[in-house]
Amino acid sequence: MTTREYGIQAIKDEAEALLDMIPKMDGEFDAAVDLMLNCKGKVIVTGVGKSGHIGAKIAATLASTGTPSFFINPLDVYHGDLGVMTHDDVVLAISNSGSTDELLRFIPMVLHMEIPIIGMSGNPSSLLAKYSTCHLNVGVKKEACPLNLAPTSSTTAALAMGDALAIALMQKRNFRPQDFAHFHPGGELGKRLLTTAQDVMRSDDLPILSPDTRLGEAIMMVSEGKLGLGVAETDGKIAGLITDGDIRRAIERWQADFFNHTVSDIMTRTPKTVELETKITEIQRIMQQYKIHSVLVVTKDNQLLGVVDHYSCML
């Protein structure tokens, strides 16, 4: 086999291990989700070694998708960290063998506090499975490792099961994009989900026209506005919208007679509008759906407040 083929085979082995988990997902998975969904405290994820690394990632995913969670190393429990646990918590304990000594020494403490345990292991007959409130079987036939020793398929299976729990909880909680943004305020995604029309709209020196404005004059006003559009108003209310494209098409249609026409002859009388609180993500959806480059920000009685164009949405 070539070097690349070794890598391809490893991915195939891990993909097969993931698909093999599906028939094992039974009522124990439902019970685990219900325990976490109804948890009034925190989901405390624990594990040793590679399982610990996977556990830390699962805890981070849960926390960022609406389930208060953090990772704790069972070794640290003996040095004071047990104090973070309460009767309202749920423990998610991960061990491929289900018999990791450091983890099993931690379990009696959890049982003594009457905290529910969700066990995740590759052995449904293990001690971890025996003492768990519910058990998730993440057993694999073989590791992707050619020696069948290094945790590869097994860690991938545990990670995928953690993602499955998080996704199921998101669905149960009706977790929305704005909820996700709440937990990711510092990143680009958070900015896009939290930013509104009011934050990015242009509200000064807007190219305001009358429907009776001659198109020759309208060209100058649209050009000076540098937005590629002009807003027609009547009695302070939006009457229509003209764009560079409207002007070009009118010139092609009327040629020399173009200057005898007014804004009302070419304007769009029902331009797309949004309110101040409209999220940028929704504005982008509108622009994409209607193949437009700008929307008007208006009050509830259709008075113009500003303009959001395509470039304003590029955070």
Side-chain angles (χ1 to χ4, degrees):
M1 292 177 68
T2 66
T3 301
R4 186 181 304 170
E5 287 172 333
Y6 289 132
I8 292 172
Q9 186 58 50
I11 293 174
K12 286 182 176 180
D13 288 342
E14 296 199 6
E16 182 179 349
L18 294 182
L19 293 174
D20 286 343
M21 283 203 305
I22 295 176
K24 302 173 187 175
M25 295 179 69
D26 52 18
E28 295 289 280
F29 181 85
D30 299 334
V33 171
D34 286 341
L35 274 176
M36 299 167 81
L37 183 65
N38 296 315
C39 176
K40 296 179 181 178
K42 308 166 294 297
V43 174
I44 300 173
V45 186
T46 187
V48 179
K50 302 296 189 297
S51 294
H53 295 308
I54 296 301
K57 191 276 177 185
I58 292 175
T61 299
L62 289 170
S64 68
T65 53
T67 301
S69 177
F70 65 88
F71 175 79
I72 187 172
N73 190 316
L75 299 174
D76 294 331
V77 171
Y78 306 106
H79 302 281
D81 283 6
L82 188 64
V84 304
M85 299 175 60
T86 72
H87 294 287
D88 292 328
D89 297 335
V90 170
V91 166
L92 172 60
I94 307 171
S95 168
N96 184 42
S97 66
S99 58
T100 305
D101 182 64
E102 298 90 341
L103 185 63
L104 291 181
R105 284 191 284 132
F106 170 50
I107 296 301
M109 303 179 193
V110 181
L111 293 174
H112 178 71
M113 297 181 68
E114 299 182 345
I115 296 175
I117 300 173
I118 300 171
M120 184 187 296
S121 81
N123 183 1
S125 300
S126 63
L127 284 175
L128 175 60
K130 178 180 178 181
Y131 289 106
S132 295
T133 309
C134 52
H135 179 260
L136 303 174
N137 185 356
V138 290
V140 298
K141 295 176 182 176
K142 66 185 182 73
E143 301 286 3
C145 166
L147 303 177
N148 199 32
L149 294 174
T152 44
S153 296
S154 59
T155 49
T156 300
L159 184 62
M161 184 61 77
D163 287 341
L165 290 169
I167 298 305
L169 285 163
M170 288 177 70
Q171 296 284 5
K172 286 280 192 176
R173 296 185 195 281
N174 192 27
F175 199 74
R176 302 164 298 170
Q178 50 266 47
D179 299 318
F180 192 86
H182 175 74
F183 293 106
H184 299 76
E188 179 180 348
L189 178 60
K191 291 179 182 178
R192 296 176 71 84
L193 291 170
L194 292 173
T195 303
T196 65
Q198 184 175 12
D199 297 321
V200 299
M201 72 179 186
R202 174 174 160 183
S203 57
D204 59 326
D205 299 324
L206 297 176
I208 306 298
L209 314 169
S210 165
D212 298 326
T213 302
R214 294 282 181 177
L215 290 181
E217 182 182 352
I219 290 178
M220 301 298 296
M221 298 178 69
V222 169
S223 178
E224 291 173 0
K226 297 181 180 180
L227 283 172
L229 56 80
V231 182
E233 286 189 351
T234 301
D235 297 328
K237 303 290 182 66
I238 296 172
L241 175 74
I242 64 170
T243 66
D244 284 337
D246 295 327
I247 293 173
R248 287 194 302 272
R249 287 185 289 272
I251 291 174
E252 292 173 0
R253 185 195 320 162
W254 292 318
Q255 297 185 14
D257 193 41
F258 169 81
F259 294 97
N260 294 323
H261 288 270
T262 65
V263 167
S264 63
D265 294 329
I266 66 170
M267 69 183 185
T268 299
R269 298 180 184 276
T270 56
K272 299 304 174 186
T273 61
V274 298
E275 297 181 351
L276 287 171
E277 299 79 14
T278 305
K279 297 291 192 296
I280 287 298
T281 49
E282 172 62 13
I283 293 175
Q284 289 178 315
R285 185 196 66 76
I286 293 172
M287 289 181 179
Q288 183 176 9
Q289 179 179 350
Y290 295 100
K291 296 180 174 56
I292 57 178
H293 298 285
S294 302
V295 296
L296 306 182
V297 185
V298 300
T299 63
K300 294 188 182 300
D301 58 354
N302 206 35
Q303 291 182 327
L304 181 66
L305 297 173
V307 175
V308 176
D309 62 13
H310 172 73
Y311 298 104
S312 303
C313 298
M314 299 175 65
L315 300 175

